[in-house]
Amino acid sequence: MLNNIDFDILLEYLSYLKTGTLQQFNKYVDNLDYNNEIEIFEYSTIRRMFSRLSHIEFDYTNRTFSVCKPTILISKNIGILSGYRTKDFLMEIANKYKINDIANQNAPKLINVEIDDIDKFQSEFPDIRISKDFSQKILNIIPNIEQIENEMLPVEYPLIISQPNINVYNTKNYRFEQIEFSTPLNGLYRALFPGNNEYYFFKDNNWYKINKDYGIFIAHKYAQNKNLIQYKDNCLKILLYIHFPEQIDRALTMLSGMNPHVKNNYYIYENIDYKTAEKVTRLLEVGGK
């Protein structure tokens, strides 16, 4: 369970440290889990949360994390604060600007800063980056799923699917399963290694390395299962078993600064206009009702 962790304290502590290893990150989470209830899979849930809220970057190749530089994402005259955050730092801002803190589900509080004059704010806080139209800029440069598929990296060695550490993704129940066939079939495969998983797509008798989240969407594209996303009342919903690729996840989240909440087996992103929802649908070639 994540609701017994004070994520504001965790972000403040990590802000003082600024960087560290993933092993250290998990240890810091454990130190705040007074009830010892954190499950193994929940560490990745916490990392995704910090990443989508633009607080922390994770380098899974080198197994490290780095707290992002403090950034204000501007929407009209309201700024969403992301990245580095300590009580003293917030007090410095609050002495000159009105700050609103809003409870955020399984995440640090959303900090909104009311800014009437951006140039004045920048002159007073030169170390805080200012970003306008953050989400739109990200979505405009992200490649679509066809480009991602065309850029998959071929591998020279074949995956031996009979090995117990190799699983295949089932598009019908949205999970990786043991392999029950002897010859590779087109689809997404997971190779389990100590401390790290790798993902490969098999098609046209060739193996390709792929990002897990994009690989899942490509697998569903081939399965012609497009009912993964739904849009209604300025909310974009995605099936609980699937995640948006990291940059899309971040772009959607930072339109509101709210960590998506869970309801009826969906992750729900708030404050999403129709044009943005349509853009994401086109990027991933999925749709829904």
Side-chain angles (χ1 to χ4, degrees), residues 224-283:
Q224 297 185 335
N225 180 8
K226 295 188 174 184
N227 194 28
L228 308 177
I229 298 174
Q230 296 184 11
Y231 179 73
K232 184 179 181 181
D233 298 331
N234 285 340
C235 290
L236 190 63
K237 304 192 298 182
I238 183 170
L239 283 171
L240 187 62
Y241 320 100
I242 299 171
H243 295 284
F244 284 116
E246 184 178 22
Q247 292 303 316
I248 294 178
D249 190 10
R250 183 175 295 183
L252 291 172
T253 302
M254 297 316 293
L255 285 169
S256 67
M258 299 297 292
N259 196 35
H261 62 277
V262 176
K263 184 177 180 180
N264 297 331
N265 288 326
Y266 281 91
Y267 287 110
I268 301 176
Y269 295 75
E270 301 176 0
N271 195 36
I272 310 298
D273 60 272
Y274 178 79
K275 185 177 180 181
T276 299
E278 188 178 41
K279 173 73 171 178
V280 171
T281 298
R282 288 200 310 271
L283 284 172

Side-chain angles (χ1 to χ4, degrees), residues 41-287:
F41 72 91
E42 290 180 314
Y43 293 109
S44 63
T45 299
I46 294 171
R47 290 195 298 269
R48 279 185 181 270
M49 174 274 291
F50 276 119
S51 175
R52 68 163 64 100
L53 288 169
S54 302
H55 291 315
I56 300 176
E57 296 283 359
F58 294 93
D59 181 345
Y60 292 102
T61 300
N62 296 307
R63 314 274 312 157
T64 60
F65 74 88
S66 298
V67 176
C68 300
K69 293 182 178 179
T71 302
I72 294 282
L73 309 180
I74 298 293
S75 177
K76 297 181 180 179
N77 68 326
I78 298 295
I80 298 173
L81 178 66
S82 68
Y84 175 94
R85 181 193 299 182
T86 65
K87 287 186 178 68
D88 290 341
F89 178 69
L90 291 178
M91 187 61 68
E92 287 181 35
I93 301 174
N95 286 336
K96 296 185 177 182
Y97 294 87
K98 184 177 180 180
I99 283 182
N100 302 303
D101 58 77
I102 302 169
N104 211 341
Q105 186 177 40
N106 293 328
K109 291 184 180 70
L110 165 61
I111 302 295
N112 282 337
V113 185
E114 296 187 16
I115 302 174
D116 294 322
D117 188 329
I118 295 175
D119 293 333
K120 181 173 180 289
F121 182 90
Q122 279 195 292
S123 67
E124 293 172 334
F125 298 97
D127 293 332
I128 299 179
R129 296 183 297 190
I130 300 292
S131 179
K132 300 179 183 178
D133 301 321
F134 172 82
S135 298
Q136 289 77 10
K137 287 177 180 176
I138 288 181
L139 292 176
N140 284 338
I141 64 173
I142 289 176
N144 61 38
I145 203 163
E146 182 179 356
Q147 293 170 303
I148 292 291
E149 185 176 358
N150 290 336
E151 293 172 4
M152 289 191 301
L153 298 173
V155 294
E156 296 181 358
Y157 59 90
L159 242 60
I160 302 174
I161 64 172
S162 60
Q163 292 184 344
N165 67 319
I166 308 299
N167 304 136
V168 64
Y169 180 75
N170 187 324
T171 56
K172 293 181 179 179
N173 59 20
Y174 314 104
R175 66 184 182 189
F176 287 91
E177 299 179 338
Q178 290 184 331
I179 296 173
E180 298 181 353
F181 43 86
S182 57
T183 302
L185 303 177
N186 288 351
L188 177 65
Y189 293 78
R190 178 179 66 186
L192 301 167
F193 298 108
N196 186 40
N197 298 332
E198 294 181 354
Y199 298 87
Y200 299 88
F201 208 92
F202 184 77
K203 69 168 187 173
D204 302 328
N205 291 318
N206 290 305
W207 289 100
Y208 301 88
K209 197 165 186 181
I210 184 66
N211 167 274
K212 173 189 174 182
D213 297 324
Y214 275 113
I216 287 175
F217 277 98
I218 293 172
H220 281 287
K221 186 186 77 167
Y222 280 107
Q224 297 185 335
N225 180 8
K226 295 188 174 184
N227 194 28
L228 308 177
I229 298 174
Q230 296 184 11
Y231 179 73
K232 184 179 181 181
D233 298 331
N234 285 340
C235 290
L236 190 63
K237 304 192 298 182
I238 183 170
L239 283 171
L240 187 62
Y241 320 100
I242 299 171
H243 295 284
F244 284 116
E246 184 178 22
Q247 292 303 316
I248 294 178
D249 190 10
R250 183 175 295 183
L252 291 172
T253 302
M254 297 316 293
L255 285 169
S256 67
M258 299 297 292
N259 196 35
H261 62 277
V262 176
K263 184 177 180 180
N264 297 331
N265 288 326
Y266 281 91
Y267 287 110
I268 301 176
Y269 295 75
E270 301 176 0
N271 195 36
I272 310 298
D273 60 272
Y274 178 79
K275 185 177 180 181
T276 299
E278 188 178 41
K279 173 73 171 178
V280 171
T281 298
R282 288 200 310 271
L283 284 172
L284 297 173
E285 294 188 21
V286 293

